[in-house]
Amino acid sequence: MSTPEVPLATPDPVSLTGRDLHLSFGDNQVLRGVDIQVDAGTTTTVIGPSGSGKSTLLRVLNRLHEPQSGDILIDGRSVLKDNPDELRRRIGMVFQQFNLFPHMTVADNIALAPRKLRGLSKDEARELALAQLNTVGLVDKADVRPSTLSGGQQQRVAIARALAMAPQIMFFDEATSALDPELVKGVLALMTELSREGMTMVVVTHEMGYARGVSDNVLFMDEGVVVETGTPDQLFEDPESERLRAFLSEVL
Ligand code: ADP
Ligand code: MG
C-alpha cells in the first residue's frame, strides 16, 4: 500500500496581527512598540541584526512571553484573553535547533503530539506521521533514529512534526542557520512550497534570497522597533532608512 501525501498548508489560513507590542526584560526594552500584519495565506519575513528582538517577537506572538502592552489578533479577534495553550496549538514553530527526541524513531517524533494533544489513536497517529513524512520526502526514514539523518533531513522532520498538529500559522526562527550550506537548499525548498501553498507564515531568516523571492512582506527590525516594512521590492530595491541600507550592504 502506498502512503498518501497530505497537503502542506492548512485549507483555512488565518491572519495574524500584532499591535504596538512592548516587552522588557528588566531595563532592557526588547520590543518597543512593534506592529506586524500578516494577511491570511501570506508570508512575512523578519530581518535585522542580531539582538534586534526578532526571536522575542515570535515568542510574544505565540505568548511564550506575555506582552507588557499591545494586542495580538487572529482574523481580527484579540486572543489575549484566551488560554495561551489554545493559541500555541494554532501556531507551529520551527527553530534553529531541531529538538527532535533522540531516543524515538522519526515517525514516533511526529506521532507523539497528535496522539497526546489531538487525541489520535496509535494507528491514526502513525498513518498521519507517514503521510506527513511522505510529503516532506522522507517516508523511507520513518523507523530510524533522528541522529542517523543529516541536519537538513532532521529539520524537514521537525517541519513535518509541526505540520502534523495542523497549525493555521507557521513560525520559523532561523531554521536554516545551523545547517551546512549544502543542506540549506532542501529546507528552503520546503519552506517555499509551504509559502506557495498559502500557509500564513512568519519567517525570521538571514536567507535574503528567500526573503526577497518568496515572502509577500518584509519587516526590518532594529533595537526593538520596526524600522521599515513593505514588499521585498520596496525594502531591497529602495530602502529608505540609513539603518536598512547599512544592514543590506553587510548581508547581501
Ligand atoms: P534576535 O532574535 O533579533 O537576535 P532576541 O529577540 O533573541 O534578538 O533578543 C533581543 C534582546 O532581548 C537581546 O538583548 C537579548 O539579550 C534579550 N533577551 C532575549 N530573551 C531574553 C530573556 N529570556 N531574558 C532576558 N533577556 C532576553
Ligand atoms: Mg534570534
Side-chain angles (χ1 to χ4, degrees):
M1 201 182 77
S2 67
T3 309
E5 274 195 40
V6 291
L8 279 171
T10 172
D12 59 344
V14 295
S15 69
L16 173 67
T17 309
R19 254 187 219 155
D20 198 24
L21 295 167
H22 284 81
L23 183 72
S24 300
F25 295 111
D27 296 342
N28 188 3
Q29 295 181 26
V30 175
L31 300 182
R32 299 185 293 144
V34 170
D35 289 293
I36 178 172
Q37 172 65 35
V38 189
D39 290 340
T42 69
T43 295
T44 295
T45 51
V46 181
I47 60 173
S50 178
S52 56
K54 306 180 298 295
S55 296
T56 304
L57 174 62
L58 291 186
R59 285 200 291 271
V60 165
L61 286 171
N62 75 2
R63 294 178 71 197
L64 286 170
H65 295 307
E66 289 293 345
Q68 279 147 349
S69 63
D71 204 356
I72 299 165
L73 307 96
I74 288 189
D75 276 347
R77 193 186 72 83
S78 177
V79 294
L80 284 182
K81 290 202 172 67
D82 301 348
N83 183 337
D85 289 339
E86 217 172 283
L87 177 67
R88 277 175 224 140
R89 245 187 249 186
R90 301 170 77 175
I91 302 177
M93 266 206 101
V94 177
F95 305 91
Q96 185 172 337
Q97 305 306 335
F98 330 122
N99 300 325
L100 298 172
F101 297 112
H103 59 287
M104 291 175 137
T105 66
V106 163
D108 285 347
N109 263 280
I110 298 172
L112 183 68
R115 276 195 73 185
K116 291 235 156 101
L117 298 173
R118 288 177 69 194
L120 269 59
S121 72
K122 199 174 167 196
D123 288 348
E124 286 167 338
R126 165 96 186 162
E127 205 170 306
L128 174 65
L130 293 181
Q132 213 77 63
L133 277 171
N134 200 23
T135 305
V136 302
L138 290 170
V139 72
D140 57 323
K141 304 292 186 191
D143 296 312
V144 305
R145 302 278 159 120
S147 60
T148 66
L149 304 182
S150 74
Q153 290 172 326
Q154 290 189 52
Q155 191 60 297
R156 277 148 63 201
V157 172
I159 294 171
R161 179 176 60 177
L163 294 175
M165 287 301 289
Q168 293 175 305
I169 300 169
M170 284 288 288
F171 287 176
F172 291 84
D173 193 354
E174 300 199 17
T176 58
S177 296
L179 300 177
D180 292 332
E182 73 274 18
L183 303 177
V184 167
K185 225 165 97 183
V187 173
L188 284 180
L190 181 55
M191 290 167 62
T192 300
E193 202 182 328
L194 196 52
S195 287
R196 300 237 194 276
E197 279 194 21
M199 179 65 100
T200 305
M201 308 200 346
V202 184
V203 178
V204 173
T205 188
H206 296 298
E207 293 291 336
M208 293 301 138
Y210 178 90
R212 206 168 178 160
V214 182
S215 55
D216 299 284
N217 285 292
V218 182
L219 199 144
F220 170 61
M221 279 184 78
D222 195 14
E223 296 181 348
V225 296
V226 178
V227 178
E228 276 188 55
T229 181
T231 64
D233 274 357
Q234 285 169 332
L235 265 74
F236 287 102
E237 307 296 336
D238 195 17
E240 285 180 3
S241 64
E242 190 45 51
R243 275 197 275 183
L244 177 54
R245 275 197 291 273
F247 176 76
L248 292 176
S249 73
E250 272 172 36
V251 295
L252 287 180

